[in-house]
Amino acid sequence: MIRKSLLMLLALGTSFGLGCGDSGNPAGTTEDGEGERSGNEQVVADDERDEIDTPSGNDEVQESDTNAVEGAGQAEVEEEPEVLAYLDEKGWEPYVADSGMKYVKPYNRLNFNLPVKLEPSDYQTIGMSKTIEELDLTNVELDAEGVAMLAGMEKLKVLDLQGESVRDDVLAAVARIKTLESVDVAYAENATDDGFVKLAILPRLTSLRLAYSKIGPAAMSAFADVPLTKLTLSNVDGLTDEVARQVAKIDTIEELVLLERRFGGDRKLTREGVRAIAESFVPRKFWFDIKHLDDDVLRRLLADGWLPTRDEATSKETLTTIAMEDTAVTDEGFSVLLDCPNVTSLWLGTTKLTDASLSRFPEAFPKLESISIDEAEFTATGFDALAKLPVRILKLTKSNLTEESLVAIGKMKALETLKLEECQYEAAWLKHLAGLENLTDLNLEMSPFDDTAATHVAKLPKLEEIDVSGSQLGDTGFLELVAVPQLKDLWIGETKVTADVYEKAKADNPEKSIHD
């Protein structure tokens, strides 16, 4: 089988070099998954890898893979025949990372798709490998003596560990593998600072990722002189300001993820910990809970090139999205971002900007198309400023709106999506939205919307989707909305619409999606 695969590749004229592939994901990080890594984000790790639009923590693997392609055609290192035969007998299929090709020599990655407990002979034979650069043991019940046998692997650079069997003695054994450049540890509930501190003696270590584990300042301080370029602490218990201060001493870091455990565990990191890092150095990529931003931290980070964004922007000129949900930044601090001419999306959450900032948006963000705000504190003056921009999407939640504010919103002729979820206003004021000729999506969930308001909304010429769940809508207004010819989707859960009227409307309008 091996020989047949090689002959096929030779026939295609294909050459493979050594490389490392992405071992995982948030935040992906991304940890969100970990999308990590966390997700988080990046983080992150499974769920986090969701938020943040967030880093994998193993990006270095992707970079190594690129180098491998460039180095294709170089002299190949032959694997030990004994190793190859043993893996074949066990049914473990090593491969070239990211190639999808099994049994291609020289392969460089080995993982175990199903949970397994390795025997001493397994560790011993794997430890003889001359080609494996990445070893994923996340599905392996680990044994310290066995892991120690991997110290003889000449090429091993990347090691992934996970689970309750990751104990201090296992981490001590990992520290004997002097070729390691990247270590990824997740869900290590039985590992302590005494074990993690051992990893600091690895002479080539440049990337460390800890997820769903616990580390304290004592262990983190051991890495002060380790030239890490990537550090991920995602969904980590014990992530405190003191841990952040120890991280601040590792000024070689280029990519940094600091995300506390989202559910359960103590959440003790504050903006003082983030400030300590910002005062020491600013990583090229830095993911943390954005709630820790205030005016001072934002200024310090921006001064060294950091950007509050979800995209890949590298400068204010290329920045298209500003993501600053729920920060402590004020108008004064936000002013340092009012020179980003290509921004199209702005996510503010509960960040407390006022008319003072919004009045400058037409000049600062001439291309702004989308803005999301919770608990807005602007007046009609601020909304009048937004009306001068090509805003297509406006999302406001839990905001108190005056009639003048709705008049101003009604002037935003480019609007296609308007969400006023849990906002307070007088239902009759929605008449001022009648001029939004491009509006297709309207969300008035948990608001004072009633039958009178339905009469005004039904006049919107392009309305296709409306959510008035939790409102005061009754049968009369409901039927008016159902009669809108271009309407496709209507949500009316927890309203005053009666069951009989609802069921009949659904039966009479099968082409429309009506949800209770």
Side-chain angles (χ1 to χ4, degrees), residues 19-21 23 61 97 108-110 132-136 156 158:
C20 297
S23 64
V61 172
N108 73 332
R109 180 172 177 81
L110 176 65
I132 294 176
E133 294 187 356
E134 299 182 31
L135 182 58
D136 186 342
L156 189 60
V158 179

Side-chain angles (χ1 to χ4, degrees), residues 307-325:
L307 296 169
T309 186
R310 295 169 176 163
D311 59 30
E312 295 297 319
T314 56
S315 68
K316 287 185 175 182
E317 290 69 30
T318 59
L319 185 65
T320 59
T321 299
I322 294 177
M324 290 180 51
E325 298 100 323

